[in-house]
Amino acid sequence: MKSKESEEFSTELQKAFFYKSFGDPKLFIKESRFPEIAFIGRSNAGKSSLINAILNRKSLAKTSRTPGKTKLINVFVVPNRFSLVDLPGFGYSKASHAEHKSMMVLLEKYLNETVKLKCLFVLLDARRKISDEEILLLQTAQNKNITSILIRTKEDKLNQKERAESKKDSSQLPQKTIYASSLTNKGIDEIREELRIHIQ
Ligand SMILES: Nc1nc2c(ncn2[C@@H]2O[C@H](COP(=O)(O)OP(=O)(O)OP(=O)(O)O)[C@@H](O)[C@H]2O)c(=O)[nH]1
Ligand SMILES: [Mg+2]
């Protein structure tokens, strides 16, 4: 059973609108007025799809089968409450080493310089093993005393063996793991609850 607060929060989430895209994290940080919740992860991990699922909106955040689509910081605002920050994906296979590095620098810059970030969701395709990049991002947030949570996405695609392997992989982490699917909505209410708690 959902609490009254959770119900009201879900209704409020649907009022979100696309605010702006930023190429430079500094410009966003300067302009940001509300508490921020950010989504970060490898290209194609499912960040934009997850934002749509959380907001219960079909295609507010643009999703794509082609990895590396979102190169900008896309900001969505729930009026007078908080911002959802869709960060550009890293590790796109066709990107050069230099491009990958500059994307990681941009992401680290945002994480190190933002003063309004309340919670960082690090997304990882549930079929993949966690890599140095995800660990670095989780730790960067943790070092600033910002809650970071690992979201294992596309849960609907996991078979039993992959599920067991991913659980073992997550068990080494101090951070919480949530399994989610934007297709079946598994884990979405739990993520909304984390969001609600962290923007208080
Ligand atoms: N089966 C399944 N597919 C998903 C899920 N979430 C996302 N996808 C698919 O994965 C692809 C990438 O999703 P996006 O949400 O665009 O991924 P992204 O992390 O925003 O990608 P970039 O913007 O390129 O960094 C799309 O084809 C989605 O339909 C999920 O939970 N289940
Ligand atoms: Mg995207």
Side-chain angles (χ1 to χ4, degrees), residues 42-49 51 61-64 66 68-72 74 86-89:
R42 208 162 278 281
S43 174
N44 209 44
K47 298 173 290 296
S48 305
S49 304
I51 290 176
K62 299 284 168 282
T63 65
S64 169
T66 323
K69 196 81 184 163
T70 326
K71 290 221 171 68
L72 299 167
N74 287 317
D86 189 359
L87 290 160

Side-chain angles (χ1 to χ4, degrees), residues 49-50 53 153-157 180-186 188:
S49 304
L50 186 76
T153 59
K154 310 189 189 182
E155 187 274 345
D156 55 279
K157 289 192 173 186
S181 167
S182 308
L183 213 65
T184 65
N185 268 357
K186 184 186 158 66
I188 302 300

Side-chain angles (χ1 to χ4, degrees), residues 14 59 101 112 140 161 163 167 189:
Q14 292 200 35
S59 49
K101 222 166 161 193
N112 283 313
T140 304
K161 186 166 169 254
R163 193 178 304 274
K167 280 201 173 140
D189 275 340

Side-chain angles (χ1 to χ4, degrees), residues 15-200:
K15 295 178 189 150
F17 64 92
F18 170 69
Y19 175 61
K20 251 188 201 181
S21 295
F22 296 85
D24 181 352
K26 276 203 162 116
L27 293 178
F28 169 53
I29 291 166
K30 210 169 133 192
E31 192 168 316
S32 181
R33 288 174 45 215
F34 303 118
E36 297 157 15
I37 302 285
F39 299 81
I40 207 164
R42 208 162 278 281
S43 174
N44 209 44
K47 298 173 290 296
S48 305
S49 304
L50 186 76
I51 290 176
N52 287 331
I54 292 168
L55 299 176
N56 197 13
R57 298 279 294 271
K58 266 213 171 74
S59 49
L60 188 64
K62 299 284 168 282
T63 65
S64 169
R65 271 171 209 256
T66 323
K69 196 81 184 163
T70 326
K71 290 221 171 68
L72 299 167
I73 300 174
N74 287 317
V75 181
F76 303 88
V77 170
V78 173
N80 299 317
R81 280 276 268 173
F82 66 97
S83 301
L84 290 154
V85 187
D86 189 359
L87 290 160
F90 59 85
Y92 173 40
S93 58
K94 284 190 187 152
S96 65
H97 182 68
E99 281 173 313
H100 173 66
K101 222 166 161 193
S102 81
M103 191 55 81
M104 289 306 288
V105 168
L106 180 150
L107 297 171
E108 282 284 310
K109 196 165 164 188
Y110 166 69
L111 292 180
N112 283 313
E113 294 180 19
T114 174
V115 287
K116 294 202 167 62
L117 183 62
K118 303 294 177 197
C119 181
L120 177 70
F121 291 113
V122 178
L123 277 66
L124 173 67
D125 186 316
R127 295 162 299 176
R128 294 182 74 114
K129 269 205 153 134
I130 191 156
S131 68
D132 291 347
E133 283 98 343
E134 285 91 16
I135 291 175
L136 172 74
L137 297 165
L138 287 164
Q139 277 176 352
T140 304
Q142 215 72 38
N143 291 345
K144 285 184 71 178
N145 276 330
I146 296 163
T147 304
S148 63
I149 296 174
L150 183 69
I151 310 281
R152 293 207 179 243
T153 59
K154 310 189 189 182
E155 187 274 345
D156 55 279
K157 289 192 173 186
L158 281 183
N159 63 33
Q160 241 178 351
K161 186 166 169 254
E162 289 167 332
R163 193 178 304 274
E165 277 167 5
S166 80
K167 280 201 173 140
K168 200 170 148 206
D169 192 43
S170 260
S171 67
Q172 313 162 26
L173 292 173
Q175 289 86 2
K176 180 174 185 171
T177 293
I178 298 176
Y179 283 83
S181 167
S182 308
L183 213 65
T184 65
N185 268 357
K186 184 186 158 66
I188 302 300
D189 275 340
E190 191 180 349
I191 297 170
R192 284 194 189 121
E193 203 49 25
E194 290 290 348
L195 233 142
R196 192 175 68 81
I197 293 163
H198 284 98
I199 54 157
Q200 302 297 337

